[in-house]
Amino acid sequence: MEISNVSMKNKEEEVETDETVDNILAKLEKVKDPVGDVYRYRYQGFWIQEFSIKGLISLQTRFVARNEDILLASCPKSGTTWLKSLVFAIMKRTDLDFKPCTNDNNNSPLFTTNPHHLIPLLELSSLPIENMMPRIMNTHIPYSSLPPSIKHSDCKIVYICRNPLDVFVSHWHFSHKFFGDSIEPRHLEESFDMFCKGIHAFGPFWDHVLGFWNASLEMPHKILFFKYEDLKRDNVFFIKKIAEFLGFPFSAEEENQGVPKEIERLCSLEHLKSLSVNKTGKYSIGLFELSNSSFFRKGEMGDWMNYLTPQMAERGKKLIQEKFGQSGLMFNF
Ligand code: PAP
């Protein structure tokens, strides 16, 4: 494909590359979302919006992972913001300027910066933060489409997944933030129908999750896979597990000082949500600008019960059983 030499091209030729991407898009199957003026394109087996496909193509051709890199991966609305804050706090905990600390001594950047600004979304910026050591980045790109250097280097991947029905409901609310009053009740049913057909942000959900799940079974040293629900049930246990997996375990002294507990508090939904940066700040996604507050809502397990009809829930559960039944991965309802 012409795009493969993109990094060596001059500015004029890069315009040509953009056109080539547009040519690729023009050939893809696309479906309009029931909510807002959004199209999803089927690219390499997954339903992705235009700006993310452009970012993904650019990544696949330009990005070179390093052995010490850390990649946080997820299907949107599975706990990405939480994971970003936790991994940032874990990895920066010994740096004096970044120490987690409590409100009495609030020198962690998490007090003043939204986690999405601390850890870039690769397909959006295509750039890790170079002066951050190790480089920590995040992606919603499915496992099968990751740049080869991520798969073949020693770079570590931490994947978070969540009950699919809660993911759907969380995404539904997120769409509200974008399109507000233009949403009608029938859109919930239409959106759910599409979700069940696999047409969802970086869907099919089950293919996204199973891609990383299966890879984590093959390469447990490279991919740490866990659930939002488990993280909620025992946050400190997983904070320690993540630290260990990333090669930066807590010392006995740190444990005695209660550092993992401090990180739990710092990164809790209640705490992050209460910070002025997350109440008033802005974040850009593609052509949209949204408030940082859109990333913090309820964070409850089973919130789907408040929105899905019994028929919708039944259909969802059946589908999940069908898609995940053989995998060994279970979701509780
Ligand atoms: P993203 O993929 O667009 O970055 P993501 O952070 O994965 O979004 O999902 C947002 C969900 O995580 C929201 O869930 P809800 O809609 O069911 O409430 C949000 O409330 C939840 N969330 C954000 N931060 C935290 C946190 N620190 N702890 C627990 N849940 C959180």
Side-chain angles (χ1 to χ4, degrees):
M1 211 189 300
E2 278 169 72
I3 302 171
S4 61
N5 287 328
V6 73
S7 56
M8 290 183 279
K9 290 184 174 180
N10 61 31
K11 225 170 180 252
E12 210 171 81
E13 285 167 325
E14 276 192 17
V15 173
E16 196 182 293
T17 303
D18 274 347
E19 284 172 2
T20 312
V21 174
D22 286 339
N23 288 343
I24 292 172
L25 284 171
K27 290 181 201 137
L28 298 177
E29 186 184 351
K30 66 174 178 176
V31 171
K32 191 167 183 292
D33 215 69
V35 179
D37 204 12
V38 173
Y39 280 92
R40 297 191 197 283
Y41 295 78
R42 193 159 193 269
Y43 184 67
Q44 297 181 344
F46 289 83
W47 293 95
I48 308 178
Q49 280 188 53
E50 178 179 336
F51 67 88
S52 296
I53 293 182
K54 288 188 173 174
L56 163 51
I57 290 173
S58 165
L59 264 184
Q60 284 177 333
T61 52
R62 286 173 206 231
F63 184 74
V64 182
R66 297 182 193 150
N67 287 335
E68 61 279 8
D69 283 346
I70 296 172
L71 181 68
L72 313 181
S74 60
C75 217
K77 304 298 147 201
S78 299
T80 323
T81 315
W82 194 12
L83 182 62
K84 282 186 177 190
S85 64
L86 288 171
V87 171
F88 184 89
I90 291 168
M91 296 309 289
K92 297 289 167 193
R93 69 185 189 269
T94 54
D95 186 329
L96 268 188
D97 294 334
F98 295 91
K99 270 173 106 70
C101 301
T102 56
N103 282 324
D104 311 330
N105 185 7
N106 54 1
N107 57 355
S108 167
L110 283 161
F111 279 88
T112 50
T113 315
N114 178 273
H116 290 282
H117 284 130
L118 290 172
I119 296 182
L121 178 62
L122 273 185
E123 56 272 25
L124 202 60
S125 68
S126 298
L127 290 172
I129 298 174
E130 285 302 331
N131 59 5
M132 179 191 253
M133 282 306 291
R135 300 189 305 180
I136 311 173
M137 49 219 138
N138 128 257
T139 190
H140 294 311
I141 295 175
Y143 185 77
S144 51
S145 293
L146 286 178
S149 67
I150 292 182
K151 291 184 187 169
H152 301 132
S153 66
D154 287 341
C155 147
K156 299 238 179 187
I157 300 176
V158 182
Y159 186 85
I160 186 163
C161 84
R162 189 178 184 188
N163 179 318
L165 301 185
D166 282 338
V167 167
F168 169 77
V169 167
S170 182
H171 197 273
W172 167 253
H173 284 280
F174 192 67
S175 303
H176 262 276
K177 299 270 175 191
F178 274 128
F179 303 110
D181 294 343
S182 63
I183 294 190
E184 296 172 25
R186 71 178 168 82
H187 288 149
L188 182 72
E189 279 195 31
E190 283 175 35
S191 295
F192 189 70
D193 181 53
M194 286 177 72
F195 182 82
C196 291
K197 289 175 177 154
I199 307 170
H200 192 251
F202 290 88
F205 174 86
W206 44 90
D207 287 341
H208 198 286
V209 173
L210 288 173
F212 282 92
W213 169 250
N214 290 329
S216 77
L217 296 179
E218 273 170 41
M219 296 172 285
H221 54 284
K222 182 175 177 68
I223 305 175
L224 177 66
F225 182 107
F226 59 88
K227 293 192 219 152
Y228 180 94
E229 292 75 18
D230 292 338
L231 191 59
K232 252 194 127 65
R233 277 186 204 106
D234 197 346
N235 200 186
V236 166
F237 172 83
F238 279 96
I239 288 172
K240 289 193 220 165
K241 192 167 172 146
I242 294 170
E244 214 172 295
F245 173 76
L246 295 177
F248 194 20
F250 290 93
S251 64
E253 195 187 345
E254 283 179 310
E255 295 220 19
N256 288 337
Q257 288 169 350
V259 179
K261 193 81 196 150
E262 221 170 73
I263 291 177
E264 175 185 43
R265 249 196 333 263
L266 171 69
C267 301
S268 71
L269 179 61
E270 298 66 34
H271 181 247
L272 293 181
K273 203 175 173 175
S274 72
L275 298 171
S276 117
V277 63
N278 294 326
K279 283 181 173 170
T280 57
K282 300 276 180 210
Y283 181 74
S284 301
I285 296 186
L287 298 174
F288 303 104
E289 190 179 66
L290 59 144
S291 53
N292 287 343
S293 63
S294 0
F295 294 101
F296 308 95
R297 200 177 62 90
K298 286 183 180 171
E300 276 174 11
M301 298 191 274
D303 192 33
W304 58 268
M305 288 181 223
N306 299 317
Y307 297 92
L308 303 188
T309 63
Q311 291 78 7
M312 288 157 94
E314 202 43 46
R315 179 179 177 196
K317 287 182 202 172
K318 239 175 148 173
L319 185 71
I320 291 157
Q321 174 58 30
E322 185 187 307
K323 300 292 181 187
F324 290 97
Q326 303 293 316
S327 69
L329 185 59
M330 309 270 288
F331 293 97
N332 296 323
F333 294 99

